[in-house]
Amino acid sequence: MLTKRDVDVAGNVKRVVDQIACAVDRAGIDAGSVKLLAVTKTVGAEQITEALEAGITCLGENRVQEGMAKRSELGDRVFEFHLIGPLQKNKVNKAVNCFDWIETVDSVELAQRIDRACEVQGKRLPVLVQVNLAKEPTKSGVAEEGLAGLVEQARAMRHLSVRGLMTIPPYCENPEDARPFFRRLKKLLMGLNAKQSVESAMRELSMGMSHDFPVAIEEGATIVRIGTAIFGERPSL
Ligand SMILES: *Cc1c(COP(=O)(O)O)cnc(C)c1O
C-alpha cells in the first residue's frame, strides 16, 4: 500500500497535464480551453502545496468546513477555489466567503440563498448548475426536466454569474460508457444557449474525473475535476 508520502504529486500533475494536451489535440480545440481542477478532499496541506508548486492554479473541495480549513492552512497562497460538493442551506454564507466558484447549484432556493449571501458580502459569484443526468437518488443535481427553469431564474439573479453546467455521471468501469452522459450535458448546454445572444452564452462544462477525463474533453469538457490521478487513492471513508 502506498502512503500519501510516496505519491509523486508533481510527476502526476505533469502526466495529467500531458494527457489533457493529448485529448485537447484529438478534440481539435484550443489548448488553453480546459481548466484543470485538482480535487483536494482528504488531502493534506503539504501535498496541496506540492501541486500548487507544480503549476496547479485551481483547487476543488467537496465540503465547506474542509474548504475553510484548507484556505487558512494554505495561508496567502493564491488559487481559484471551487466548491464541487453538495451545499447545505445553513452553510451558504460560509461557502460564499470561502469559494470563488460554486459548481453545485441545483435548486432555485439554493440559488436565491447564494445570491443573497453574495449581495451581503458585496460580490458576484460564478456558478454552475449541477445536473443529475441518470436521476440517481444518491446524487444531487437537478433533473433535466427542471434545468431550463432553474437556469432561467438563476440567470436573473444579480449576484450570480451562471457560467454553465456540471455533472457526475454514474460510475462506469469503462470510460467509454460515460461518453453518452458527457455528450448529453453538452447538448443541454447548447440547447440553453440557443435561446441566448452569443455574448451571454454559457461556455463551461465541468465533467470528467480521474478515470474518464480524456473522454470528457473529447466531448467538450472545459473543467475537469481530478483527485486520484494527482494525489493517489483516497482512504475509503
Ligand atoms: C472526488 C471528486 C472528484 C475527483 O474524483 P477522482 O476520481 O478522485 O478524480 C471529482 N468531482 C467530484 C464532485 C468529486 O467529489
Side-chain angles (χ1 to χ4, degrees), residues 92 96 99-102 105 110-128 153-163:
V92 167
V96 165
F99 291 95
D100 304 301
W101 284 59
I102 294 177
V105 173
L110 181 59
Q112 279 168 338
R113 282 177 190 257
I114 297 170
D115 184 57
R116 240 175 279 139
C118 286
E119 182 171 12
V120 170
Q121 295 181 34
K123 52 169 86 166
R124 189 158 187 263
L125 215 62
V127 300
L128 302 179
Q153 292 198 60
R155 287 183 67 127
M157 297 178 194
R158 291 185 29 226
H159 302 274
L160 300 186
S161 171
V162 185
R163 301 289 179 87

Side-chain angles (χ1 to χ4, degrees), residues 151-202:
V151 167
E152 191 185 336
Q153 292 198 60
R155 287 183 67 127
M157 297 178 194
R158 291 185 29 226
H159 302 274
L160 300 186
S161 171
V162 185
R163 301 289 179 87
L165 306 178
M166 178 270 212
T167 199
I168 310 168
Y171 180 80
C172 306
E173 199 64 52
N174 179 355
E176 276 303 322
D177 296 336
R179 190 183 291 277
F181 293 100
F182 299 141
R183 195 167 285 179
R184 182 75 195 145
L185 198 71
K186 165 112 191 190
K187 197 160 176 219
L188 289 171
L189 186 76
M190 284 165 50
L192 293 166
N193 281 339
K195 298 174 208 133
Q196 304 292 333
S197 64
V198 177
E199 309 86 74
S200 58
M202 299 174 285

Side-chain angles (χ1 to χ4, degrees), residues 23-226:
V24 156
D25 211 42
R26 281 198 303 278
I29 50 177
D30 270 358
S33 53
V34 177
K35 186 183 272 189
L36 167 56
L37 203 65
V39 176
T40 56
K41 60 179 177 239
T42 77
V43 178
E46 201 179 313
Q47 278 74 33
I48 299 173
T49 301
E50 212 179 320
L52 293 170
E53 281 171 359
I56 290 291
T57 58
C58 303
L59 302 179
E61 187 63 60
N62 288 64
R63 297 195 178 158
V64 176
Q65 219 66 33
E66 211 177 323
M68 288 166 62
K70 279 172 191 165
R71 261 278 195 227
S72 74
E73 272 179 279
L74 291 167
D76 49 15
R77 289 202 176 259
V78 177
F79 53 88
E80 185 181 284
F81 208 14
H82 291 225
L83 178 66
I84 60 170
L87 177 53
Q88 289 166 344
K89 292 171 187 97
N90 62 346
K91 301 230 171 85
V92 167
N93 286 328
K94 285 176 174 163
V96 165
N97 186 43
C98 179
F99 291 95
D100 304 301
W101 284 59
I102 294 177
E103 297 201 5
T104 49
V105 173
D106 64 358
S107 73
V108 173
E109 194 194 345
L110 181 59
Q112 279 168 338
R113 282 177 190 257
I114 297 170
D115 184 57
R116 240 175 279 139
C118 286
E119 182 171 12
V120 170
Q121 295 181 34
K123 52 169 86 166
R124 189 158 187 263
L125 215 62
V127 300
L128 302 179
V129 171
Q130 182 177 356
V131 189
N132 188 345
L133 291 171
K135 295 199 173 71
E136 292 170 280
T138 54
K139 280 185 188 149
S140 21
V142 64
E144 279 186 38
E145 297 73 44
L147 177 62
L150 170 54
V151 167
E152 191 185 336
Q153 292 198 60
R155 287 183 67 127
M157 297 178 194
R158 291 185 29 226
H159 302 274
L160 300 186
S161 171
V162 185
R163 301 289 179 87
L165 306 178
M166 178 270 212
T167 199
I168 310 168
Y171 180 80
C172 306
E173 199 64 52
N174 179 355
E176 276 303 322
D177 296 336
R179 190 183 291 277
F181 293 100
F182 299 141
R183 195 167 285 179
R184 182 75 195 145
L185 198 71
K186 165 112 191 190
K187 197 160 176 219
L188 289 171
L189 186 76
M190 284 165 50
L192 293 166
N193 281 339
K195 298 174 208 133
Q196 304 292 333
S197 64
V198 177
E199 309 86 74
S200 58
M202 299 174 285
R203 66 170 297 272
E204 306 295 343
L205 286 169
S206 175
M207 56 190 197
M209 307 180 10
S210 290
H211 75 292
D212 58 12
F213 70 90
V215 175
I217 291 171
E218 287 166 17
E219 296 301 329
T222 61
I223 300 173
V224 289
R225 309 178 308 263
I226 314 284

